[in-house]
Amino acid sequence: MTPERASHHAFFAVSALLFAASAVLTTVWCASMSAMGEMAMPGGWTMSMMWMPEQTWPDAAASFLGMWVVMMVAMMLPSLVPMLWRYRRAVGSTGDMRLGLLTGLVGVGYFVVWAVLGMAAFPLGVALAAVEMQQPPLARAVPIAVAVVVLIAGALQFSAWHARHLACCREVPGCDRTLAADVATAWRHGLRLGLHCSHCCAGLMMVLLVIGVMDLRAMTVVGAAITVERLAPTGEPVARAIGVVVVGAGLLLLARAAGLR
């Protein structure tokens, strides 16, 4: 086996191990969240105890961030691997060890973007939970608000904004270019990929956050949708098909919420 082929095999083996480890940890954490139970709220819905932490604020935030990052690795790694592979090709010939370190740095930059978003999501979720606990009329409006958010998320799948960021995630012809094999370029490239991906995933992540951020079924469906629209031979038709499904789900949620009122 040539050194180059061995390097390729090592890259895919490490990626598979990271995915398997993150998927197992995410499953364990989801089970622990389910064991904590949920609180019945006015309006016929339940709130996860995750948004009502009994720990100190720094401990609760650190725990959430750890879960969030591992969850993002499990959800995003299948669609990130092809982007990392294209990075390795764009860098060109360099030492195997250096190429591996630079590829890892791109991945770290990518997930730093998601970590920052998680750091923003947690205090917002806790604050909303506190307000809903104190204001029953607001809590009763949550099912309708969730349906509206899902409808907006579905509509985003049809937007030119989503299509532009999806194209950069997929690296359509014209986006490819030679990259310098240095730390600064690798870091910037990882951040750029993370920003494009987070913008592209905004709608689907909104769905996950309002449906249940630690709901394993919702996480699996959203992760699969993100992966399919990245890896399918044609991305935009798949994105629009996903949008149709999300809009349909939003309409069903809206009808259900209206029936509960």
Side-chain angles (χ1 to χ4, degrees):
M1 183 183 295
T2 64
E4 182 179 6
R5 194 173 185 84
S7 176
H8 296 343
H9 285 177
F11 167 72
F12 287 111
V14 170
S15 299
L17 286 173
L18 281 174
F19 173 74
S22 61
V24 169
L25 284 174
T26 300
T27 302
V28 171
W29 269 326
C30 286
S32 68
M33 288 295 105
S34 297
M36 290 175 63
E38 298 180 329
M39 178 179 289
M41 299 292 291
W45 60 285
T46 57
M47 180 187 294
S48 171
M49 299 300 290
M50 177 180 65
W51 301 116
M52 293 171 283
E54 297 179 354
Q55 306 159 283
T56 63
W57 179 264
D59 289 344
S63 177
F64 176 86
L65 185 60
M67 289 189 295
W68 174 268
V69 171
V70 172
M71 181 180 74
M72 288 299 104
V73 174
M75 291 179 62
M76 301 300 174
L77 194 57
S79 58
L80 176 62
V81 166
M83 292 189 278
L84 294 178
W85 180 252
R86 283 190 290 269
Y87 167 78
R88 291 166 67 89
R89 293 178 59 187
V91 166
S93 299
T94 186
D96 291 341
M97 180 64 71
R98 181 174 178 78
L99 181 58
L101 291 173
L102 291 174
T103 304
L105 186 58
V106 173
V108 170
Y110 176 89
F111 286 113
V112 161
V113 174
W114 284 107
V116 170
L117 293 175
M119 291 171 63
F122 180 69
L124 178 60
V126 171
L128 285 174
V131 172
E132 289 158 359
M133 290 284 292
Q134 297 169 6
Q135 300 292 333
L138 181 62
R140 279 189 283 271
V142 165
I144 290 180
V146 168
V148 171
V149 169
V150 174
L151 285 171
I152 293 172
L156 281 176
Q157 292 291 116
F158 299 92
S159 67
W161 179 78
H162 176 271
R164 182 172 65 256
H165 290 291
L166 177 60
C168 289
C169 289
R170 291 171 56 87
E171 290 289 352
V172 296
C175 288
D176 292 329
R177 62 188 187 279
T178 301
L179 294 174
D182 61 71
V183 169
T185 301
W187 178 251
R188 288 194 299 269
H189 189 69
L191 294 177
R192 183 182 72 87
L193 290 178
L195 288 170
H196 281 303
C197 188
S198 60
H199 281 75
C200 183
C201 297
L204 294 175
M205 291 306 298
M206 285 164 53
V207 173
L208 181 61
L209 286 169
V210 299
I211 295 297
V213 69
M214 292 305 293
D215 184 312
L216 191 59
R217 292 168 299 178
M219 195 185 310
T220 301
V221 171
V222 170
I226 290 170
T227 301
V228 169
E229 73 174 7
R230 298 292 194 290
L231 304 186
T234 54
E236 286 191 48
V238 172
R240 289 193 289 269
I242 292 170
V244 170
V245 173
V246 174
V247 168
L251 291 173
L252 287 175
L253 288 172
L254 189 61
R256 181 184 177 187
L260 291 174
R261 292 182 68 84

